[in-house]
Amino acid sequence: GGIIPKLSRIYEFLMKMESGIGDGGYNNVEPDTSSFNHVIRACYAPWTSSSPPGDEGTRRKAFEIAYDSYSKTHMPDAHTYAHMFKAIKCLLPSSTANSNDAGDTRLERYTICKELLRDCCRDGHLTKSSAWTLRKMFPSEEEFVGLLLQMNHPQLDGESMSKENLLRVPEDRLLACLPSEW
């Protein structure tokens, strides 16, 4: 079969572990955060190569499995968020053949990233890898910095953390300029 049936089987196995039902002793197995992270990574991994398989519908279904796995993760960690940002980057491409769809997809990516970034920062799990993935995901640096500024953190108010100043921060120093509790 294709990618989606394989991803669906992995996801179904995870859900059987989660619910504690099934043949083979699932009652004694409880998935941890790493279990969910592996399913999320499996969803986007085929699209990290130079010749990604499948069409837009296949990517969309893979993203739905990844997002559903994320939403069922009991205690997301830094890896969970990093994998989800990569899933968005790989599975919700910024441009499609249909220009109307491209605008919708960009808005969807931005909205989902904003929600995930909010949760990630709240949980204190923003990493250099996640910040880098987000920065590369948006075609405009201004979109990325706008995303950061929408987190409404007091440290990002004022002259030193204006949009212009954040845009000038070198990529490898960005995390050091953000609130430490993130």
Side-chain angles (χ1 to χ4, degrees):
I3 291 172
I4 297 303
K6 291 175 186 174
L7 292 175
S8 294
R9 282 193 302 275
I10 294 168
Y11 177 75
E12 287 168 17
F13 182 74
L14 181 66
M15 292 301 99
K16 283 181 182 178
M17 288 172 47
E18 170 87 333
S19 66
I21 60 170
D23 299 329
Y26 294 143
N27 295 346
N28 298 327
V29 178
E30 187 174 322
D32 60 6
T33 301
S34 179
S35 306
F36 288 92
N37 290 348
H38 285 295
V39 172
I40 295 167
R41 185 179 184 292
C43 289
Y44 73 82
W47 284 275
T48 59
S49 69
S50 58
S51 56
D55 59 9
E56 193 83 19
T58 302
R59 285 179 176 213
R60 173 65 60 181
K61 182 63 180 156
F63 179 75
E64 289 169 6
I65 293 169
Y67 192 84
D68 201 40
S69 297
Y70 160 74
S71 66
K72 291 185 168 124
T73 305
H74 301 290
M75 296 180 65
D77 62 14
H79 298 288
T80 309
Y81 292 110
H83 286 312
M84 278 307 298
F85 291 131
K86 288 176 186 170
I88 293 166
K89 184 176 185 283
C90 293
L91 301 173
L92 295 179
S94 59
S95 62
T96 60
N98 183 333
S99 60
N100 290 338
D101 289 346
D104 293 344
T105 302
R106 270 185 64 198
L107 178 60
E108 181 182 19
R109 283 174 72 160
Y110 191 84
T111 303
I112 293 169
C113 283
K114 181 180 168 185
E115 172 191 315
L116 286 174
L117 182 60
R118 183 195 66 232
D119 293 348
C120 179
C121 293
R122 178 201 63 216
D123 295 344
H125 291 308
L126 185 63
T127 62
K128 192 174 188 176
S129 170
S130 290
W132 184 85
T133 300
L134 282 167
R135 195 170 194 165
K136 296 296 180 197
M137 191 181 319
F138 295 101
S140 159
E141 285 284 311
E142 290 197 16
E143 281 182 291
F144 169 68
V145 170
L147 189 66
L148 290 176
L149 293 175
Q150 285 188 26
M151 295 301 106
N152 295 326
H153 191 280
Q155 184 178 326
L156 297 179
D157 290 340
E159 194 64 34
S160 65
M161 284 296 151
S162 69
K163 179 186 278 189
E164 293 75 24
N165 286 344
L166 276 174
L167 284 170
R168 284 194 289 262
V169 173
E171 192 172 295
D172 61 337
R173 299 247 324 112
L174 178 66
L175 199 60
C177 294
L178 299 176
S180 60
E181 63 267 29
W182 286 4

